[in-house]
């Protein structure tokens, strides 16, 4: 584990592969935290888990062009390498991998990974090609690092579900760990994109989690999920100036529209503000009775 | 290395992963030969190379349903496990992985790998989806086994080119080794599918390599590649009862139609007989002068 100040920044694939070479680990295990940087407490909580579980903690910071569509916020995505390096070091990261786009994508590659059915809903419907890009960069990072365990926050629940399917179906060796969403005191899910909200929007944005919580309470009071969606939607419309992209209830992690066999259900929302789009979700255990329609 | 008779047959992913666990190799290296079985001298040559280069040799035998299209020969593909096990053992394979379809594909998975531009030509054009299936099974096998080096025959040159691109672009750790095509005395490329030829077709099939060789000679005599294609095509039509699927010259390994920058060119042919389709190719160093059009 990194004593504060001994973190090493690595910029090339070759260097990182040499450092974490699986043949030279001598029994030490590697925990991996992939990020797009502009670190917040959510990311640092992932690092905390990795430090607790493993000898070596690797964090990657890479704003992945492959997962941004035309018209999205690739250029505007917040970046601050020095701030990130300080936070990562203080949190106990051992190796901070910050490759350039050229380093990660040196060749014009036309091989793609299509994420399948789980990507046809929620953000996959709003952002076609997004999860293709996520799987592409993660397969590369998993191959470069060969982690024992990789940590992902529940805020990006669809991403997590797709990654779990990918790891299972292609026999990747890393364990995938789900870490609960970290929130501000008013409930807003921590996110790098929160910095792109105006002051007014930031105060409104807490309504998203409040609406989801109201939805959860309604569900456990016996309201059917289709009604629960409407309750959440109405609350967000009433309390924010944002435009709703989606408010959807699905089985989790399958993301099927058919809940009947599901043990868990996700209620998820995406709301667009003037310069950014926020997402959030709550995962709930299902109530198995006729109220499930 | 396996002393004859000590080969172990493995049927489950879990068992194989435990055996070849990268953390327990103690400096030993793993050479991997993926096959669809019904072994011939071509496969055994791959094993010979793996034995020469590595401490542990793993061979897989799996007729992969994902790489057979509707109307293709998945059911008719030749299979003989006992014969294969005897041959593999005698050749020095240490672990022979023979999983069931259920073992390799236990879940209905909708995640796909699209092989990109290299798959738009040659067999990729005739067999849409074929190379998706090849990459899917290979990614799984590479993840299960984590080989140091994996061996492929040049007869399947397009497959080899696509795999090299895949390994490069996704940072897979295995080295990919190209092994020259093994041929019968009359030049026919060794292939499991040769057993599906009638006696008459078997004697005609040697014309394919003869035609490619004539094409090669013509090229080095200064004939332009477009003419070379016609020479090969004419020879195959004259000397076999088969139907030509394609006769094509492309840059190698890019498989581009533009040769101008290429160091190597592939001349490739695919010919359909009554119950099977044969492919073959020759890779040639390019002559860099105005004769290249």
């Amino acid at each position: 584990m990194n004593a504060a100040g001994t973190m090493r920044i690595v910029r090339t694939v070759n260097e990182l592969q040499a450092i974490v070479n699986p043949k030279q680990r001598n029994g030490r295990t590697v925990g991996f935290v992939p990020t797009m940087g502009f670190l917040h407490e959510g990311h640092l909580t992932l690092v905390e888990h990795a430090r607790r579980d493993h000898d070596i903690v690797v964090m990657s910071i890479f704003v992945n062009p492959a997962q941004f569509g035309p018209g999205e916020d690739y250029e505007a995505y917040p970046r601050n390498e020095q701030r990130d390096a300080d936070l990562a070091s203080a949190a106990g990261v051992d190796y901070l991998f910050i490759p350039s786009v050229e380093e990660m994508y040196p060749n014009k590659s036309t091989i793609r990974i299509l994420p399948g059915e789980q990507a046809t809903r929620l953000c996959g419907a709003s952002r076609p090609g997004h999860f293709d890009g996520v799987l592409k960069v993660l397969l590369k990072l998993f191959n470069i690092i060969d982690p024992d365990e990789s940590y992902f926050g529940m805020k990006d629940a669809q991403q997590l579900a797709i990654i779990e399917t990918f790891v299972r179906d292609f026999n990747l060796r890393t364990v995938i760990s789900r870490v609960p969403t970290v929130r501000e005191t008013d409930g807003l899910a921590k996110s790098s994109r929160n910095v792109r909200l105006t002051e007014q929007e930031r105060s409104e944005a807490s309504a998203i989690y409040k609406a989801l919580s109201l939805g959860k309470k309604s569900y456990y009071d016996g309201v059917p999920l289709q009604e629960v969606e409407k309750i959440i939607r109405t609350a967000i419309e009433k309390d924010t100036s944002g435009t709703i992209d989606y408010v959807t209830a699905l089985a989790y992690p399958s993301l099927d529209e058919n809940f009947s066999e599901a043990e868990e259900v996700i209620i998820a929302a995406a709301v667009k503000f003037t310069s950014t789009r926020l997402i959030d979700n709550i995962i709930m255990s299902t109530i198995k009775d006729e109220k499930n329609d």
Side-chain angles (χ1 to χ4, degrees), chain A residues 125-176:
Chain A
S126 318
R127 304 180 68 186
H130 167 68
F131 291 111
D132 308 26
V134 170
L135 288 183
K136 172 183 275 206
V137 78
L138 280 177
L139 178 56
K140 288 170 64 70
L141 290 168
F142 288 152
N143 287 332
I144 291 166
I145 296 163
D146 194 18
D148 291 276
E149 191 164 8
S150 305
Y151 298 81
F152 295 86
M154 288 300 304
K155 182 178 83 62
D156 300 303
Q158 181 178 22
Q159 169 176 270
L160 196 26
I162 289 170
I163 292 165
E164 287 179 352
T165 299
F166 183 56
V167 164
R168 178 198 69 184
D169 288 349
F170 289 87
N171 307 95
L172 272 75
R173 276 188 305 281
T174 180
V175 170
I176 298 297

Side-chain angles (χ1 to χ4, degrees), chain A residues 186 197-207 210 239:
Chain A
D186 63 359
L197 298 166
T198 66
E199 255 195 68
Q200 172 63 22
E201 289 172 342
R202 170 59 189 89
S203 68
E204 291 173 357
S206 60
K210 290 186 172 74
D239 294 331

Side-chain angles (χ1 to χ4, degrees), chain A residues 6-253:
Chain A
T6 64
M7 180 184 81
R8 182 162 152 193
I9 292 178
V10 181
R11 298 191 188 272
T12 67
V13 170
N14 286 345
E15 191 185 353
L16 186 60
Q17 282 182 313
I19 289 167
V20 297
N21 187 339
K23 298 182 179 192
Q24 291 160 5
R25 289 194 192 163
N26 298 318
R28 292 175 300 165
T29 62
V30 174
F32 173 45
V33 178
T35 82
M36 295 214 297
F38 210 75
L39 303 178
H40 54 70
E41 204 191 320
H43 302 109
L44 303 179
T45 302
L46 301 178
V47 173
E48 209 177 294
H49 282 246
R51 277 185 49 195
R52 180 195 64 198
D53 298 338
H54 297 286
D55 304 296
I56 301 170
V57 176
V58 177
M59 169 185 276
S60 63
I61 289 179
F62 182 63
V63 184
N64 174 31
Q67 67 191 71
F68 288 80
E72 288 188 355
D73 58 344
Y74 175 67
E75 288 79 12
Y77 197 86
R79 295 163 168 82
N80 189 328
E81 187 181 298
Q82 188 56 60
R83 178 179 165 280
D84 283 348
D86 293 342
L87 287 169
S89 178
V93 169
D94 293 294
Y95 300 102
L96 183 60
F97 181 47
I98 316 184
S100 65
V101 171
E102 176 65 23
E103 181 67 15
M104 287 296 278
Y105 299 120
N107 304 103
K108 173 174 167 289
S109 172
T110 59
I111 299 180
R112 293 169 52 202
I113 304 178
L114 296 194
E117 273 190 37
Q118 285 176 306
T120 57
R121 326 217 191 280
L122 308 175
C123 292
S126 318
R127 304 180 68 186
H130 167 68
F131 291 111
D132 308 26
V134 170
L135 288 183
K136 172 183 275 206
V137 78
L138 280 177
L139 178 56
K140 288 170 64 70
L141 290 168
F142 288 152
N143 287 332
I144 291 166
I145 296 163
D146 194 18
D148 291 276
E149 191 164 8
S150 305
Y151 298 81
F152 295 86
M154 288 300 304
K155 182 178 83 62
D156 300 303
Q158 181 178 22
Q159 169 176 270
L160 196 26
I162 289 170
I163 292 165
E164 287 179 352
T165 299
F166 183 56
V167 164
R168 178 198 69 184
D169 288 349
F170 289 87
N171 307 95
L172 272 75
R173 276 188 305 281
T174 180
V175 170
I176 298 297
S177 240
R178 300 181 185 180
V179 178
T181 304
V182 178
R183 301 181 175 280
E184 304 289 358
T185 28
D186 63 359
L188 175 65
K190 296 227 179 203
S191 166
S192 306
R193 287 182 166 104
N194 291 346
V195 72
R196 309 262 299 141
L197 298 166
T198 66
E199 255 195 68
Q200 172 63 22
E201 289 172 342
R202 170 59 189 89
S203 68
E204 291 173 357
S206 60
I208 299 173
Y209 183 60
K210 290 186 172 74
L212 288 169
S213 302
L214 178 61
K216 175 177 180 178
K217 182 183 182 312
S218 309
Y219 177 66
Y220 286 121
D221 284 344
V223 175
L225 281 163
Q226 270 179 326
E227 285 308 309
V228 166
E229 283 181 6
K230 288 183 190 151
I231 288 169
I232 296 168
R233 184 176 276 274
T234 302
I236 292 172
E237 281 166 350
K238 179 162 88 58
D239 294 331
T240 80
S241 58
T243 307
I244 291 177
D245 185 3
Y246 62 76
V247 171
T248 313
L250 295 169
Y252 194 80

